[in-house]
């Protein structure tokens, strides 16, 4: 099959006509970096934040090999792999964690700018610490999502920063001459007796978001055994359950690499890492049917920067698959989203546990 950016798919993420796998920022990044990529050599190019493979496979189509890639969402990794297989580029790249090995001696870095300044700070520090001294970073995004603060963060780690002309509402920042690099370390804060750790990009950072806090206030006592924290974020619910129930084992899962690293750090900081297993998973894909008796969930409702109400119902269906008959899904959600009918359909009888001005906590029993 002939390679085309227009033919890339988002699978297994939310598919919809208005959700494309490639946008103008990807195309601009490829165009602006073309000359630099030509001289980078095999293994000299790193791609960070590629949505569904446009940057990686565009680079591969131009002859790039040994491309090192980091994508925070697991669905992005899987979409890249699926798109690469379709076009025969499966051997052109390797997916790696956000680690020194990802960027060591890199000559060119293509970066889709993250929305989080803390995430950008982690990435910039890592590149400055381990990439080649002559590395050139092409950091791009949609203008509506870019801020001058991003320039300031890059200037913390790079002496020279150039800004390209905008094209199709996209722009690229070009950073050179790295200095004062550092590896990412999680932020830490203590809330209600729980030490919360968060790497850049983890939802809510080292705070506890108000939905999770409301859920924590109403979680029931649990018997000995096991529980699941689905879409665990920084692992606050999983850690709280383990702290409250010394004989309980908790599985915490999230598709975000930053969330998984944060959740592990949170469990370790609260001395419950021996009873909290943290896995990177697309929902509950690695869990067998009818294997759990209790699942806690604070569902996200964003796919990237877009709001999509289809994400939570998919999570409800996954929870229903994994719950045993009689098992319970306890969920917190923004009351305006009116998820109760979806919970009734996917899981079973649903009762309201608590409600305040913004959030609702429900318990759904697997039929």
């Amino acid at each position: 099959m002939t390679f085309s950016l227009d033919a890339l798919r988002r699978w297994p993420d939310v598919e919809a006509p208005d959700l494309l796998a490639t946008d103008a920022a990807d195309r601009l990044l490829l165009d602006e970096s073309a000359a630099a990529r030509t001289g980078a050599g095999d293994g000299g190019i790193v791609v960070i934040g590629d949505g569904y493979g446009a940057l990686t496979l565009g680079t591969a189509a131009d002859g790039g090999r040994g491309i090192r890639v980091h994508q925070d969402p697991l669905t992005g990794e899987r979409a890249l792999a699926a798109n690469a297989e379709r076009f025969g580029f499966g051997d052109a790249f390797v997916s790696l964690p956000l680690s020194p090995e990802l960027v060591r001696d890199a000559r060119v870095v293509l970066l889709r700018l993250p929305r989080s300044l803390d995430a950008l700070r982690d990435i910039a520090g890592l590149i400055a610490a381990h990439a080649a001294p002559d590395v050139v970073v092409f950091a791009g995004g949609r203008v509506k999502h870019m801020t001058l603060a991003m320039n300031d963060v890059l200037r913390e780690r790079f002496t020279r920063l150039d800004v390209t002309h905008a094209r199709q509402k996209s722009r690229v920042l070009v950073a050179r001459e790295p200095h004062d690099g550092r590896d990412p370390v999680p932020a830490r804060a203590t809330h209600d007796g729980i030490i919360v750790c968060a790497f850049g990009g983890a939802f809510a950072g080292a705070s506890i978001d108000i939905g999770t806090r409301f859920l924590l206030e109403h979680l029931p006592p649990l018997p000995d055994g096991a529980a699941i924290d689905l879409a665990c974020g920084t692992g606050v619910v999983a850690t709280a359950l383990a702290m409250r129930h010394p004989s309980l084992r908790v599985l915490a899962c999230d598709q975000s690499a930053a969330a998984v690293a944060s959740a592990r750090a949170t469990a370790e900081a609260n001395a419950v890492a021996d009873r909290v297993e943290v896995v990177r998973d697309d929902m509950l894909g690695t869990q067998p049917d009818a294997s759990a008796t209790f699942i806690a969930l604070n569902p996200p409702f964003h796919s990237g920067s877009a709001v999509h109400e289809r994400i939570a119902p998919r999570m409800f269906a996954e929870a229903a698959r994994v719950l045993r008959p009689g098992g319970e899904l306890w969920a917190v959600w923004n009351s305006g989203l009116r998820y109760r009918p979806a919970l009734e359909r996917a899981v079973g009888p649903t009762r309201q546990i608590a409600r305040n001005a913004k959030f609702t906590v429900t318990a759904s029993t697997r039929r």
Side-chain angles (χ1 to χ4, degrees):
M1 180 182 293
T2 302
F3 176 74
S4 168
L5 289 174
D6 294 327
L8 299 182
R9 292 187 55 198
R10 293 173 58 102
W11 184 94
D13 201 351
V14 175
E15 294 269 17
D18 60 331
L19 295 177
L20 302 177
T22 306
D23 65 17
D26 293 324
R27 298 174 190 275
L28 184 59
L29 273 165
L30 289 170
D31 289 348
E32 291 288 345
S33 65
R37 286 187 285 115
T38 298
D42 288 355
I45 302 172
V46 172
V47 177
I48 301 176
D50 199 358
Y52 304 94
L55 298 176
T56 304
L57 300 183
T59 296
D62 289 339
R65 293 297 182 268
I67 306 162
R68 288 170 281 174
V69 185
H70 175 72
Q71 296 159 280
D72 183 69
L74 181 59
T75 50
E77 273 191 21
R78 291 179 174 175
L80 168 58
N83 284 320
E85 183 177 358
R86 290 175 64 210
F87 293 107
F89 290 134
D91 61 349
F93 68 93
V94 59
S95 293
L96 295 170
L98 190 66
S99 63
E101 290 70 28
L102 172 70
V103 297
R104 184 165 286 123
D105 300 323
R107 302 283 306 284
V108 175
V109 177
L110 306 188
L111 168 64
R112 276 303 299 255
L113 284 163
R115 299 288 292 275
S116 162
L117 292 179
D118 287 336
L120 180 58
R121 190 168 284 111
D122 281 356
I123 294 166
L126 189 71
I127 295 170
H130 300 286
D134 62 349
V135 66
V136 184
V137 180
F138 297 87
R142 303 291 281 168
V143 171
K144 65 182 179 181
H145 298 146
M146 296 173 68
T147 66
L148 290 176
M150 293 176 173
N151 301 35
D152 295 336
V153 169
L154 290 172
R155 287 192 179 102
E156 291 173 4
R157 304 298 176 194
F158 297 89
T159 300
R160 179 178 170 186
L161 184 69
D162 299 309
V163 182
T164 70
H165 293 295
R167 189 181 80 190
Q168 293 182 296
K169 301 180 181 179
S170 302
R171 193 184 297 278
V172 172
L173 310 177
V174 184
R176 296 178 174 88
E177 301 174 21
H179 61 83
D180 299 323
R182 53 167 279 180
D183 291 349
V185 294
R188 289 169 59 109
T190 301
H191 306 275
D192 303 326
I194 300 174
I195 301 169
V196 182
C197 299
F199 286 93
F203 175 69
S207 65
I208 300 179
D209 70 278
I210 56 177
T212 295
R213 190 179 294 276
F214 194 50
L215 178 62
L216 287 173
E217 292 172 1
H218 296 93
L219 285 174
L222 296 179
D224 295 347
I228 295 175
D229 179 9
L230 172 57
C232 67
T234 55
V236 170
V237 171
T239 294
L241 287 171
M243 293 172 69
R244 293 177 186 181
H245 307 287
S247 299
L248 188 70
R249 302 192 69 83
V250 186
L251 175 72
C253 56
D254 203 294
Q255 72 149 330
S256 161
V260 166
S262 301
R264 286 184 179 138
T266 296
E268 290 170 1
N270 291 278
V272 294
D274 59 328
R275 292 186 292 112
V276 176
E277 178 187 3
V278 185
V279 297
R280 189 171 178 229
D281 199 358
D282 181 14
M283 300 195 189
L284 294 170
T286 61
Q287 301 306 305
D289 295 354
S291 59
T293 57
F294 183 88
I295 298 175
L297 171 63
N298 181 1
F301 54 92
H302 284 85
S303 178
S305 59
V307 175
H308 285 280
E309 296 181 14
R310 287 166 292 184
I311 299 172
R314 288 178 61 205
M315 289 189 160
F316 302 156
E318 268 290 271
R321 179 185 66 79
V322 172
L323 282 170
R324 297 173 182 146
E328 291 191 332
L329 169 65
W330 282 58
V332 61
W333 36 276
N334 189 302
S335 300
L337 295 174
R338 307 187 182 209
Y339 282 149
R340 186 164 178 171
L343 287 162
E344 295 268 3
R345 288 192 299 270
V347 184
T350 298
R351 63 191 188 275
Q352 179 176 298
I353 301 299
R355 185 184 180 98
N356 63 16
K358 189 168 184 180
F359 291 100
T360 298
V361 174
T362 54
S364 304
T365 304
R366 180 71 167 96
R367 61 170 66 87

